[in-house]
Amino acid sequence: MGIIASRASHGSSVRELAAATPASRDRYVDLLRVASLTVVVLGHWLMAAVTPDGEVGNLLAVVPGLQILTWALQVMPVFFFVGGFSHALAHRSRPQYAVFLRARLQRLLRPTMVFIGTWSALALAVQLLGADDGLTGVALRLVAQPLWFIGIYLAMVAFTPPLLRLHGRWGWGAFAALVAGAALVDVLRFAAGVPYVAFLNFGLVWLAIHQLGFLRADGLIRRPGLLAAVGLVGAGLLVGFGPYPLSMVGMPGEKVSNMAPPTLALLCHGLWLVGAVELLKRPGARFTARARVWRAVVAANGVAMTAFLWHLTAMLGVYGTLLALGIRLPQPASAAWWAQVPVRLAAAAALTALLVTLFRRFEQPPAAAAARAGASGSGGGNRHLAALGITLALFGVLGLSMTGFGGLLEGHTATLVAVQVSAPAAVAMGLAGWFLVERAGRS
């Protein structure tokens, strides 16, 4: 996030930040980052189907015919692809592991830990008041689900140095090895019935998409149309003739999900999306060259993570307010429900904007921290402490995405791969990991 992150910490205005952007910056990458998160947020808002009784369902389960839209709207692979591009450039400018981790994670972990701390306090208060049932209980579980994305992103940052070395040596070969590994995992999963092996694809599938970002950084994606075609045809064949479902997002009650754990079909879907956005690179660059557009991209990048963390809180807040006011909700997917969609989206956007106003300062490191980060760029930091820190943060965030914030007093547990993780332990690991990453990068 480069200039946007560093200068924003000193309080520069959006107009000044936009004007100070160097000509060498790839503005299209910043546009893709903002656009992909925006589509994810809108998708979550639209998929939430709350019944008149306050039960939360999924619109794609109510109207299965809409699942084909996920082939265009499941854009999380684009965000991870952009992350690979940014991480490659960042590591080459700050090759020391601990310093690299702290620089990449400061704008990610700080707002995430504030989100976790705030919701933990709210959850404890709600539980002590005995109000953790109904939509409130659902909210305590749902608002933590997007944290899986943070956990996967942490893994990508952690594995950037070794995978970047493999990329430097093998290029497309390193990417092909990850794809082959993901394919082998699915064979062992579906053909041989090997237990737990599917969870390896949480790393192999997403790291393969991330590896495409390295290839883009070195200008090696020269035939994006072919990449898109191979991905689209591959996904179509796998879904049409294999054990893979149509939806590229998780569906309630499904036996096989393309998302959790990720499948080879989702990897092919990612290939098609990456090829598609690369085909649009030239018009995208012309679009972001417009001063007004670039100022909007800069402004959005400065609060993107905060908006992502709090958007489900806002959505559930809208539904909770409607129910509290005694306003009867229409049946999901009915004519009345569709008619109210623009109003609900506008209300969720307004509440998200309010939450961003309250919490955006945590996404921007204070000036003193930015100065320390710049000063630490010449040192090596403590790589072992950094590795321990990111490991704890990774398991803490992923664990919390599984347990949710409910049952903190009882030590509610959920299964992360094959390990039982409690909600209090997940919160503690996340906070401890953040502290260690910060300390290691400054040492």
Side-chain angles (χ1 to χ4, degrees), residues 50 119 145 148 161 169 200 207-208 228 254 304 313 328 330 334 438:
V50 181
W119 260 108
Q145 286 186 355
W148 76 265
R169 183 172 182 179
L200 290 175
L207 288 174
E254 61 186 355
T313 301
R328 183 171 176 80
S334 65
E438 283 286 311

Side-chain angles (χ1 to χ4, degrees), residues 33-34 37 41 79 107 299-309 363:
R33 181 186 297 115
V34 170
L37 282 183
V41 168
F79 190 91
R107 294 189 66 212
N301 260 306
V303 298
M305 191 51 56
T306 302
F308 176 79
L309 286 166
E363 190 166 346

Side-chain angles (χ1 to χ4, degrees), residues 347-385:
L351 187 50
T352 299
L354 175 61
L355 291 168
V356 166
T357 301
L358 292 174
F359 293 102
R360 63 179 296 176
R361 64 183 181 274
F362 299 108
E363 190 166 346
Q364 305 296 341
R372 286 196 302 270
S376 66
S378 60
N382 188 327
R383 61 182 296 115
H384 300 295
L385 193 63

